[in-house]
Amino acid sequence: MTKQNHFEVIIVGGSYSGLSAAMSLGRSLRQVLIIDSGLPCNRQTPHSHNFITHDGEKPAVISAKAKTQVSFYDTVQFYNGLAIVAVKTANGFEVKTESGKIFKTKKILFAAGIKDLIPDIHGFAACWGISVLHCPYCHGYEVKGEKTAVLANGEIGFEYVKMISNWTKDLRLITNGKATLNSEQKELLQKHQIEIIEDEIDSFLHENGNIQEIVFKNKSKIEIKAIYSRLPFVQYCLLPEFLGCELTEQGLIKIDMMQRTNIPGIYASGDSTTQMRSVAMAVSTGSLAGAPLNKELIDETFV
C-alpha cells in the first residue's frame, strides 16, 4: 500500500518503460507512484533478446531486477491495480483505480503499452510470443535458417516477407485467403523461391506454444518452425484518449521528441507510442520521458 495519495508524477504501467522513467524521476527526488496490474504484453515470451547486457534473459527476470533497483529510491511507490478513470483538475489530475482508490498528481506518464488483437485461429494465442513472432530483431536469430512462414497479405505481407528473407531462405507467405499482391510482387517472390499459400488457416498444432504444423481448412498441412505476424492492436489503457490525447493513424499515442502528448502535463512512452516494440526501445523512451518531466516540474516551481 502507498503512504500518500498526492504525487508529482503518476506512471500508469509498471513494466520496462514505466520503471525506466521511474528510475530517472526517483533519482531526481520526485514523488512518483507507479500503478501497474502486473500483466506485461510479453509475459508469455520465454526470452528477451537484442537488449545489451540482458540478451537471452527471461523478461520477468529483467522486470523484477528493474523493480528492485527502482525500489531503492524511496520517493517512488508502487500500487498493484488497474487505473480506470483519469480526470483533469485545477492542479493536475486525479486517477481512480479499479478498487476505488483515488490518487492526485501534477503530471501523468502513460506507459501501459498496447493490446494485441489475437485472430480466431485455434492455437494462435498459445503460440504468440513463443513461436509466432512479431519482430525478427528480437527473435529472428534463434530461428535463423528454419522453416518459416509469414502470415500477412498485400503490401504489408510483401515487405514483411522480404525482411524475413534476411534470416531464412526456407520461407513462405501465407495470405489466409486470396492474395492481394500485385503481379510485380508475385514475380519477385517467385524469383526468390518464396511460395505464396492462399489457403485459409484452420489451426496451429503445437507443443507448449512451439508450433509444429499449420492445418488449413482444406485439410492440408505444412510443417513449420516459426511464424511472423503483425497483429492489429488497441491501446491497453484508454485513459489517454479519454483525456484528449491524439493518436496517430496507426493507433499509437502521438508524442513529440520529448515524449510529450498534445495535452499539457501528459506524457507517454513505450509500446503505446512506437512501432519499434522491444524491451530496449521501451527502456529508452521511458528514460527519455523522465528528464523533461522533471524539467517541467522545475520550471513550474523556479519562479
Side-chain angles (χ1 to χ4, degrees), residues 174-187:
I174 300 176
T175 59
N176 197 27
K178 185 173 177 58
T180 56
L181 302 160
N182 61 41
S183 57
E184 183 180 349
Q185 290 168 338
K186 289 180 179 179
E187 289 175 7

Side-chain angles (χ1 to χ4, degrees), residues 119-140:
D120 187 21
I121 297 173
H122 182 71
F124 191 106
C127 295
W128 181 237
I130 301 173
S131 57
V132 180
L133 313 171
H134 79 285
C135 174
Y137 297 101
C138 298
H139 306 291

Side-chain angles (χ1 to χ4, degrees), residues 14 17 95 141 162 215 235 250 266 278 286 289 295 302-303:
S17 192
V95 178
Y141 185 86
K162 181 171 71 172
V215 180
Q235 289 288 324
Q250 295 78 28
I266 301 181
S278 71
K295 177 66 162 55
F302 197 84
V303 294

Side-chain angles (χ1 to χ4, degrees), residues 9-25:
V9 180
I10 284 180
I11 299 174
V12 179
S15 191
Y16 312 102
S17 192
L19 289 168
S20 180
M23 177 171 283
S24 292
L25 290 164

Side-chain angles (χ1 to χ4, degrees), residues 30 190 229:
R30 294 301 175 185
Q190 185 177 19
S229 179

Side-chain angles (χ1 to χ4, degrees), residues 221-232:
K221 300 179 182 179
I222 60 169
E223 292 184 2
I224 211 76
K225 179 72 173 183
I227 303 175
Y228 288 90
S229 179
R230 287 177 178 162
L231 299 184

Side-chain angles (χ1 to χ4, degrees), residues 21-288:
M23 177 171 283
S24 292
L25 290 164
R27 292 182 60 81
S28 302
L29 312 179
R30 294 301 175 185
Q31 298 292 328
V32 178
L33 176 66
I34 301 174
I35 300 175
D36 184 62
S37 61
L39 296 173
C41 68
N42 67 348
R43 58 189 178 274
Q44 190 165 281
T45 303
H47 300 97
S48 175
H49 293 282
N50 204 28
F51 182 19
I52 198 78
T53 74
H54 291 285
D55 190 44
E57 186 62 271
K58 294 180 179 179
V61 171
I62 299 174
S63 58
K65 184 175 182 179
K67 187 172 182 179
T68 298
Q69 293 180 345
V70 171
S71 298
F72 171 82
Y73 301 97
D74 56 12
T75 60
V76 179
Q77 297 182 45
F78 297 84
Y79 184 85
N80 183 21
L82 190 66
I84 60 170
V85 177
V87 295
K88 184 77 177 71
T89 66
N91 299 313
F93 305 90
E94 282 188 357
V95 178
K96 182 179 180 180
T97 67
E98 195 173 35
S99 65
K101 188 76 173 178
I102 296 177
F103 300 103
K104 299 180 181 181
T105 184
K106 294 179 181 179
K107 313 292 177 187
I108 297 180
L109 170 65
F110 287 107
I114 59 176
K115 179 181 179 181
D116 295 301
L117 302 179
I118 304 296
D120 187 21
I121 297 173
H122 182 71
F124 191 106
C127 295
W128 181 237
I130 301 173
S131 57
V132 180
L133 313 171
H134 79 285
C135 174
Y137 297 101
C138 298
H139 306 291
Y141 185 86
E142 284 62 48
V143 290
K144 64 183 185 299
E146 297 286 2
K147 188 181 292 292
T148 302
V150 170
L151 176 55
N153 207 345
E155 183 71 19
I156 293 174
F158 175 76
E159 290 297 329
Y160 204 6
V161 80
K162 181 171 71 172
M163 174 181 285
I164 303 305
S165 69
N166 181 72
W167 280 268
T168 182
K169 304 304 178 186
D170 194 346
L171 189 58
R172 65 275 308 138
L173 175 63
I174 300 176
T175 59
N176 197 27
K178 185 173 177 58
T180 56
L181 302 160
N182 61 41
S183 57
E184 183 180 349
Q185 290 168 338
K186 289 180 179 179
E187 289 175 7
L188 196 52
L189 293 182
Q190 185 177 19
K191 176 183 176 181
H192 287 272
Q193 299 181 325
I194 298 173
E195 181 184 7
I196 301 169
I197 301 175
E198 299 180 273
D199 300 332
E200 293 186 12
I201 298 172
D202 176 73
S203 60
F204 293 167
L205 296 183
H206 66 94
E207 184 174 339
N208 298 321
N210 294 295
I211 192 162
Q212 298 172 327
E213 291 183 327
I214 299 175
V215 180
F216 297 94
K217 291 184 178 179
N218 62 8
K219 306 304 181 183
S220 64
K221 300 179 182 179
I222 60 169
E223 292 184 2
I224 211 76
K225 179 72 173 183
I227 303 175
Y228 288 90
S229 179
R230 287 177 178 162
L231 299 184
F233 62 85
V234 294
Q235 289 288 324
Y236 186 84
C237 178
L238 301 180
L239 298 184
E241 290 181 78
F242 178 80
L243 289 166
C245 295
E246 293 181 14
L247 300 183
T248 67
E249 292 182 0
Q250 295 78 28
L252 300 166
I253 300 175
K254 192 173 183 179
I255 53 169
D256 66 9
M257 294 295 289
M258 293 289 107
Q259 306 297 133
R260 292 180 292 237
T261 72
N262 62 299
I263 302 299
I266 301 181
Y267 291 66
S269 65
D271 287 356
S272 62
T273 65
T274 176
Q275 295 186 56
M276 296 293 291
R277 295 177 63 184
S278 71
V279 174
M281 182 60 70
V283 168
S284 69
T285 59
S287 182
L288 176 58

